[in-house]
Amino acid sequence: MATQATVNGLIVGLLYLLMAVGFTLVFGVMRMVNFAHGEFYMLGAFGAYFLTGSLELPFMAAVALTFVGAVAGGALLEWGVLQPFRRDELNGMIATIGLAMILQNAALMWFGPDPLSMPPVAEGVTRLGKVVIPTARLYVVLFACVVLALLYGFLRYSRPGRALRAVVEDTEIAAIQGIRSRIYYPLGFGLGVGLAAVAGALMAPLFSVSPFVGAAPLLKAFIVVILGGLGSIPGAAAAGLLLGLVESYASLLLSGSTADMLIFAIVIVMLVARPKGLLGRGEA
């Protein structure tokens, strides 16, 4: 039972990781808390739903197209709407709250309030020793790992990725090295919301899709970012997996409400004991 709980926790933690890495990437580049992050998760879920249902595309192709569309749309949105709020934390936060309301109500008008169910990606279960994993969830895990591996390769080995990392670490030092930070704001925002859209698309076959589906993932992403440290991508990765494991074991041993109380207690203790988070670096 403990092994099963560990596997379930890692599965959930991977999806939290996708959300949180996107969230912290936006904050690291723009110093903006993106409260519209959950709405991009919701749009990604709707994108996968309609691409597989209306256009009958394979699920993996639908997820890939959703990611590309979200990156492009997010970059255009940052350039056209959020540009005045770059590195302006308070006004940027208010702007993203307004953006979240606009996107949520637009989805409500377009799709309606009723939850929609997406057909499962695959039927049956896969057994790994004593561990039983629904095959649909295994597909989700594999695709999430591929996305994270590609992101790691982009950030570590490509020239734009290294420049983006430099902007996240220190904008002034990046400017001294000849990196024009303004060019990378749309890229950072687009990649961040693209990861949220991928998480939503991957979760669409497992849960229902509605205009309100992004609220809970946004809260979990915020918790993960606080635990990992604002602006720290490795911290977000570690905290996402940790939160998934804590949730899984707490749900196994305690009631759902008690598990939520435990998670928020951990956040409070972390804020008191280590305000910068697990791997946060603080402000210069």
Side-chain angles (χ1 to χ4, degrees):
M1 187 173 291
T3 305
Q4 185 73 55
T6 301
V7 172
N8 292 339
L10 290 175
I11 291 173
V12 174
L14 275 173
L15 296 171
Y16 289 164
L17 196 160
L18 282 173
M19 282 288 290
V21 168
F23 193 94
T24 202
L25 186 61
V26 171
F27 180 84
V29 172
M30 302 178 66
R31 287 298 184 268
M32 177 189 293
V33 177
N34 179 23
F35 279 97
H37 207 63
E39 273 54 55
F40 284 97
Y41 174 98
M42 174 266 294
L43 292 176
F46 273 114
Y49 177 87
F50 281 100
L51 287 172
T52 56
S54 300
L55 300 183
E56 299 183 351
L57 292 179
F59 177 68
M60 297 306 178
V63 174
L65 285 176
T66 298
F67 173 71
V68 172
V71 171
L76 288 174
L77 188 63
E78 193 285 330
W79 179 78
V81 178
L82 299 177
Q83 185 177 156
F85 308 107
R86 292 171 177 174
R87 310 191 79 80
D88 184 348
E89 294 185 37
L90 179 59
N91 290 330
M93 180 183 71
I94 295 171
T96 60
I97 291 173
L99 178 61
M101 294 298 100
I102 291 171
L103 292 175
Q104 187 180 93
N105 283 282
L108 187 62
M109 293 171 60
W110 187 266
F111 303 116
D114 297 328
L116 303 174
S117 296
M118 183 174 166
V121 179
E123 302 288 347
V125 298
T126 300
R127 295 183 180 274
L128 301 174
K130 295 182 179 180
V131 179
V132 178
I133 306 174
T135 306
R137 293 202 171 203
L138 194 59
Y139 272 93
V140 168
V141 169
L142 292 175
F143 201 87
C145 289
V146 169
V147 170
L148 290 169
L150 291 174
L151 176 68
Y152 175 81
F154 172 77
L155 292 176
R156 186 170 181 84
Y157 299 111
S158 73
R159 185 171 182 177
R162 292 196 298 269
L164 189 60
R165 284 169 51 210
V167 173
V168 170
E169 289 296 323
D170 194 312
T171 306
E172 293 182 1
I173 298 299
I176 293 173
Q177 298 297 322
I179 298 172
R180 291 182 289 179
S181 302
R182 295 182 181 274
I183 296 176
Y184 292 96
Y185 286 135
L187 175 61
F189 189 85
L191 277 177
V193 300
L195 291 173
V198 165
L202 291 175
M203 292 297 283
L206 306 180
F207 301 98
S208 60
V209 180
S210 80
F212 310 106
V213 76
L218 172 63
L219 178 60
K220 295 297 172 62
F222 200 60
I223 291 172
V224 168
V225 169
I226 291 172
L227 290 175
L230 281 171
S232 172
I233 293 176
L241 295 176
L242 177 63
L243 180 63
L245 290 170
V246 169
E247 268 196 4
S248 182
Y249 278 101
S251 299
L252 178 66
L253 302 173
L254 307 168
S255 65
S257 58
T258 307
D260 288 338
M261 290 170 58
L262 176 62
I263 290 168
F264 283 105
I266 292 173
V267 172
I268 293 171
V269 170
M270 174 63 74
L271 288 174
V272 172
R274 189 173 173 81
K276 296 178 184 180
L278 292 173
L279 298 175
R281 60 182 184 275
E283 295 296 328

